Amino acid sequence: MLRHWHVSFLSFCFFFLFLFLFLWTSYDEISATRTFSVDLINKTCKTCSDKSTVFNYTFCSASLQEIPVSRTTNLQGLAIVAMELALQNATHTLSVIKELRRNETWGHPFASACLRDCDVLYSDGVITLVDAVAAFLEGKYGSAGAWLTAVMDGTTTCEEGFGDMEEASPLTEQNYSAFQLCDVALCIVNLLVSHA
């Protein structure tokens, strides 16, 4: 319960941090930097896509541009946006998993075991993402990257669990989105490290 309160409080703080940054920027500054920031998003997503065969440029660009503050921020801001999106995704996925587990008529016993494993993985993943954001804000980019990688591994393990049991995964879309959002954040963190 305390963990869930901590995650909710952190999400609340991030929301107001983004709102403050957005409102603090004058309209003229927003107009002047909008093209630059969209270019930064596209350039960043392209750079990351060129470095990885699993990185989805379209997903990256669409996800970041969907959040208004990302159009008026720098590379560090984009990393925070990506991590916040990953945290929202993981929190929502955890609620989907819990709802599926409450539905006792859903799937085979093997699928129930997979859902139980995914519940643990995503519960840990939410806390790990909070740790990643905290590490990033403290300038501990290596730790942030390690936490993000751990969450990505968790989404892969969740998805593969259903395949191992020859069950159709009800979480494919959520696992893919969580993996990609963490990959966006991880790539940006690595870009920041390489430019440090």
Side-chain angles (χ1 to χ4, degrees):
M1 184 68 180
L2 181 60
R3 286 184 167 190
H4 290 297
W5 178 87
H6 180 61
V7 171
S8 298
F9 177 73
L10 189 60
S11 296
F12 178 78
C13 290
F14 283 143
F15 172 76
F16 279 99
L17 173 64
F18 291 142
L19 185 62
F20 171 76
L21 290 172
F22 184 73
L23 294 176
W24 185 50
T25 307
S26 72
Y27 178 77
D28 289 340
E29 288 173 336
I30 290 173
S31 298
T33 60
R34 186 179 306 275
T35 301
F36 167 76
S37 295
V38 171
D39 287 347
L40 177 63
I41 291 170
N42 291 333
K43 180 180 177 183
T44 301
C45 292
K46 179 70 167 66
T47 299
C48 293
S49 178
D50 289 345
K51 292 176 178 288
S52 170
T53 57
V54 297
F55 192 95
N56 186 325
Y57 167 84
T58 304
F59 183 96
C60 173
S61 181
S63 297
L64 293 178
Q65 289 188 44
E66 189 175 307
I67 308 302
V69 72
S70 69
R71 300 183 212 134
T72 60
T73 191
N74 56 17
L75 205 53
Q76 286 88 347
L78 289 182
I80 293 172
V81 168
M83 284 187 274
E84 172 64 10
L85 287 171
L87 181 57
Q88 289 176 3
N89 172 279
T91 303
H92 173 72
T93 301
L94 190 55
S95 65
V96 170
I97 292 168
K98 291 187 182 306
E99 183 61 33
L100 287 170
R101 291 190 68 195
R102 277 192 290 268
N103 182 1
E104 295 179 6
T105 62
W106 187 87
H108 192 275
F110 287 143
S112 296
C114 293
L115 282 174
R116 186 174 57 249
D117 291 344
C118 290
D119 194 337
V120 172
L121 289 164
Y122 269 92
S123 293
D124 291 345
V126 167
I127 302 305
T128 303
L129 282 167
V130 172
D131 291 339
V133 173
F136 182 83
L137 292 174
E138 292 173 8
K140 298 175 181 175
Y141 294 167
S143 296
W147 292 131
L148 289 165
T149 301
V151 176
M152 292 168 71
D153 290 344
T155 66
T156 302
T157 301
C158 172
E159 187 66 22
E160 288 177 349
F162 289 95
D164 291 344
M165 297 293 185
E166 298 183 353
E167 291 286 335
S169 170
L171 301 170
T172 298
E173 183 178 344
Q174 290 89 346
N175 285 329
Y176 180 80
S177 294
F179 182 95
Q180 287 293 327
L181 288 167
C182 289
D183 204 12
V184 171
L186 178 62
C187 181
I188 295 173
V189 168
N190 289 337
L191 289 175
L192 288 167
V193 170
S194 67
H195 288 100

